[in-house]
């Protein structure tokens, strides 16, 4: 098989959560363990940092990868889902895995794939671990796919576990309360391994404290240790200063991820770095400053309050649940514009009504439907939106919706494209 045929085989053969939803989620680690055992457990051949949480784990993973890369470490990065190219999921020092490796891996593992019938995610996790081992990375940043306890990535023993935050998402799989979801996310906390929790929350703090106690893991809540003392938007950067106990810890840090929600993520990242320094990782402040000023360039991160063009200003964001859309709306309100145009599509298993309730009535909507089985039919989305006072136009594809928004917008307007990672992925 060539590369295109190999990817087509993976998509066709394996259940893929991003396309079909909960039926693709395997509620145990059996397949991942079996595949990795056949590969001589490559995940044990390199150091890792494990990143979980509801929102912000992708940005946090990319920031940490950029920092370690800039500090001179050969750095692996495993994230999901991808936007444009499958190979975005597996990178070393920002470079995507080669097509030849993907072809060879699937060819060599085809027998066990046929035997086990693993999910798409289980195969890609084994592929990533195999690649990082073969390439002798110094460290790999591993982003959890879904939950934590039963996630395929949870066969690693990391140097540090990081949990960004907890909010309601994937409730059909992870639980209906913040406590239940926190319990699943806490599953990445390993015996004796330190854990950094990004955001404190009265409903979930005790879940993490108890789990850390059970595993005898040192635990720190980033937002209780350090604080944002200054935050100013400057051109293409967010200028941030961070303090600890009233003293400046880091001053005038320029971050090229400018969404306001990154202020929460940056505290998580800085606390993670501080903890890793105590574990003898060499990361100086020069590397920290240089890396965070060029996260997108170093790692290829896309889709986080990403400016696509100006006049009119066109921005996309992959936020897709209530907590994520709340942050996106804050960014929109903070961005000067005349009229707002919203290109939006969603998937079926989200809190549709909860998300729509956050959107402003004073905007023109371009409802659309990403091309996947999980997509919420566009007419259903438009009908539900109408109940929330949101009016606009219906389009069968993302591209047609974007084209209509561009046609209708004036130079001083703002076009926001989002509602789902898969809408952002289909931006031409």
């Amino acid at each position: 098989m060539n590369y295109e045929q190999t990817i087509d085989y993976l998509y066709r053969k394996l259940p893929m959560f991003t396309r079909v939803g909960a039926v693709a989620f395997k509620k145990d680690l059996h397949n991942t363990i079996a595949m990795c055992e056949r590969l001589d457990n490559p995940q044990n051949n390199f150091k890792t940092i494990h990143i979980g949480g509801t929102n912000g784990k992708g940005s946090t993973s990319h920031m940490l990868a950029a920092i370690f890369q800039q500090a001179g470490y050969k750095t692996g990065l495993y994230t999901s889902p991808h936007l444009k190219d499958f190979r975005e999921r597996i990178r070393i020092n920002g470079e995507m895995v080669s097509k030849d490796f993907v072809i060879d891996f699937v060819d060599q593992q085809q027998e066990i794939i046929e035997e086990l019938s693993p999910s798409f995610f289980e195969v890609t996790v084994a592929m990533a671990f195999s690649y990082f081992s073969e390439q002798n990375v110094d460290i790999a940043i591993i982003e959890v796919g879904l939950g934590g306890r039963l996630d395929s990535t949870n066969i690693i023993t990391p140097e540090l576990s990081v949990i960004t935050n907890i909010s309601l998402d994937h409730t059909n799989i992870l639980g209906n309360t913040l406590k239940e979801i926190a319990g699943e996310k806490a599953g990445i906390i390993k015996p004796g391994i330190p854990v950094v929790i990004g955001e404190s929350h009265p409903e979930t703090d005790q879940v993490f404290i108890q789990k850390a106690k059970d595993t005898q893991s040192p635990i720190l809540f980033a937002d209780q240790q350090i604080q944002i003392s200054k935050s100013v938007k400057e051109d293409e950067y967010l200028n941030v200063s961070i303090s600890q106990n009233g003293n400046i810890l880091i001053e005038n840090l320029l971050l090229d991820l400018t969404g306001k929600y990154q202020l929460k993520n940056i505290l998580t990242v800085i606390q993670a770095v501080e903890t890793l320094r105590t574990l003898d990782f060499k990361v100086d402040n020069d590397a920290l400053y240089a890396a965070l000023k060029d996260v997108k360039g170093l790692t290829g991160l896309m889709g986080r309050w990403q400016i696509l063009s100006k006049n009119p200003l066109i921005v996309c964001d992959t936020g897709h649940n209530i907590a994520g859309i709340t942050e996106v709306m804050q960014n929109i309100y903070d961005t000067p514009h005349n009229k707002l145009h919203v290109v939006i599509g969603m998937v079926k298993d989200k809190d549709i009504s909860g998300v729509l309730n956050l959107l402003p009535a004073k905007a023109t909507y371009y409802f659309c439907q990403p091309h996947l089985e999980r997509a919420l039919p566009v007419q259903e989305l438009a009908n539900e939106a109408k109940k929330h006072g949101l009016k606009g136009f219906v389009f069968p594809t993302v591209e047609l919706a974007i084209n209509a928004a561009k046609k209708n917008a004036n130079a001083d307007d703002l076009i926001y494209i989002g509602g789902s990672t898969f809408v952002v992925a289909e931006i031409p």
Side-chain angles (χ1 to χ4, degrees):
M1 293 188 288
N2 61 25
Y3 177 71
E4 286 71 25
Q5 289 167 334
T6 300
I7 294 298
D8 183 59
Y9 168 78
L10 291 177
Y11 285 156
R12 245 183 327 102
K13 178 73 182 171
L14 309 178
M16 187 177 179
F17 178 85
T18 52
R19 303 200 69 80
V20 300
V23 293
F25 182 65
K26 303 291 180 75
K27 294 193 174 185
D28 62 61
L29 300 176
H30 172 267
N31 286 346
T32 309
I33 291 168
M35 284 199 75
C36 286
E37 281 179 350
R38 297 273 187 101
L39 294 162
D40 293 328
N41 289 312
Q43 74 278 6
N44 298 335
N45 297 335
F46 51 90
K47 293 180 177 180
T48 57
I49 301 169
H50 208 183
I51 315 288
T54 303
N55 292 305
K57 58 183 184 285
S59 295
T60 299
S61 296
H62 282 80
M63 283 192 258
L64 283 170
I67 290 166
F68 274 90
Q69 183 179 331
Q70 196 67 38
Y73 291 85
K74 187 173 184 180
T75 306
L77 175 62
Y78 176 75
T79 58
S80 62
H82 62 272
L83 288 177
K84 296 290 187 184
D85 187 327
F86 166 80
R87 297 179 303 136
E88 293 167 28
R89 294 168 179 254
I90 305 170
R91 296 177 185 266
I92 295 177
N93 286 357
E95 295 294 320
M96 293 189 290
V97 60
S98 70
K99 290 182 177 180
D100 284 344
F101 183 87
V102 176
I103 294 167
D104 291 344
F105 180 87
V106 173
D107 180 56
Q108 290 162 17
Q109 303 308 315
Q110 195 164 352
E111 188 178 319
I112 190 173
I113 289 172
E114 299 287 344
E115 178 189 324
L116 291 176
S117 295
S119 71
F120 182 90
F121 190 78
E122 287 168 333
V123 172
T124 58
V125 166
M127 184 189 298
F129 291 165
S130 182
Y131 186 61
F132 295 153
S133 174
E134 183 183 289
Q135 294 294 316
N136 294 311
V137 299
D138 298 315
I139 193 160
I141 316 299
I142 308 295
E143 181 195 6
V144 170
L146 178 63
R149 183 174 64 94
L150 299 175
D151 187 75
S152 300
T153 62
N154 203 29
I155 65 168
I156 59 174
T157 301
E159 307 300 304
L160 174 70
S161 302
V162 177
I163 300 172
T164 56
N165 56 42
I166 301 297
S167 59
L168 294 174
D169 198 12
H170 299 296
T171 51
N172 58 326
I173 296 172
L174 302 180
N176 292 310
T177 67
L178 294 180
K179 271 189 178 178
E180 288 175 334
I181 294 171
E184 290 297 316
K185 306 278 185 188
I188 69 169
I189 300 174
K190 301 292 197 309
I193 304 298
V195 57
V196 168
I197 311 296
E199 296 175 43
S200 307
H201 193 289
E203 285 186 56
T204 59
D205 287 359
Q206 199 54 45
V207 175
F208 296 127
I209 291 167
Q210 185 58 52
K211 175 70 175 181
K213 187 178 177 183
D214 294 343
T215 56
Q216 297 184 302
S217 303
I219 182 170
L220 285 171
F221 290 83
D223 60 357
Q224 293 176 12
Q225 299 292 316
I226 54 179
Q227 294 78 39
I228 301 289
S229 54
K230 183 187 86 170
S231 154
V232 184
K233 181 84 182 293
E234 290 181 0
D235 298 323
E236 303 302 314
Y237 300 100
L238 206 53
N239 185 326
V240 178
S241 294
I242 295 167
S243 62
Q244 185 171 38
N245 301 323
N247 300 314
I248 292 293
L249 184 67
I250 292 176
E251 195 167 23
N252 296 324
L253 182 72
L254 296 180
L255 183 61
D256 71 338
L257 306 179
T258 58
K260 202 168 185 179
Y261 52 79
Q262 299 295 358
L263 295 175
K264 298 176 181 180
N265 295 330
I266 196 64
L267 291 181
T268 310
V269 167
I270 297 302
Q271 185 56 60
V273 169
E274 291 290 314
T275 301
L276 288 160
R277 282 170 170 167
T278 69
L279 303 175
D280 288 334
F281 285 94
K282 309 298 182 204
V283 179
D284 62 29
N285 275 359
D286 287 346
L288 192 73
Y289 277 84
L292 293 175
K293 193 175 180 181
D294 191 26
V295 176
K296 290 184 283 191
L298 289 168
T299 67
L301 178 62
M302 298 182 289
R304 273 61 169 193
W305 195 251
Q306 183 177 345
I307 295 172
L308 302 176
S309 65
K310 297 180 178 179
N311 304 317
L313 181 63
I314 304 178
V315 178
C316 69
D317 195 283
T318 54
H320 54 267
N321 52 34
I322 287 177
I325 296 294
T326 298
E327 299 290 355
V328 168
M329 285 301 110
Q330 190 58 56
N331 281 333
I332 287 174
Y333 297 139
D334 290 344
T335 302
H337 62 273
N338 183 20
K339 291 180 180 175
L340 175 63
H341 303 260
V342 177
V343 176
I344 186 168
M346 296 185 71
V347 292
K348 295 171 186 172
D349 52 7
K350 298 297 176 186
D351 183 352
I352 310 297
S353 181
V355 167
L356 294 173
N357 197 44
L358 297 170
L359 304 179
K362 197 176 178 184
T364 304
Y365 287 83
Y366 305 79
F367 302 108
C368 59
Q369 182 175 333
H371 185 65
L372 74 163
E373 293 93 320
R374 275 174 73 208
L376 181 68
V378 65
Q379 197 57 58
E380 282 185 37
L381 176 61
N383 292 344
E384 188 63 32
K386 200 172 181 181
K387 297 176 189 174
H388 294 266
L390 312 180
K391 296 173 185 174
F393 310 97
V394 172
F395 299 89
T397 69
V398 173
E399 185 173 3
L400 287 171
I402 292 171
N403 289 342
K406 286 179 179 177
K407 191 176 177 183
N408 289 348
N410 294 320
D412 55 356
D413 289 351
L414 168 60
I415 299 174
Y416 154 64
I417 306 168
S420 168
T421 300
F422 309 104
V423 170
V424 174
E426 291 184 25
I427 294 171

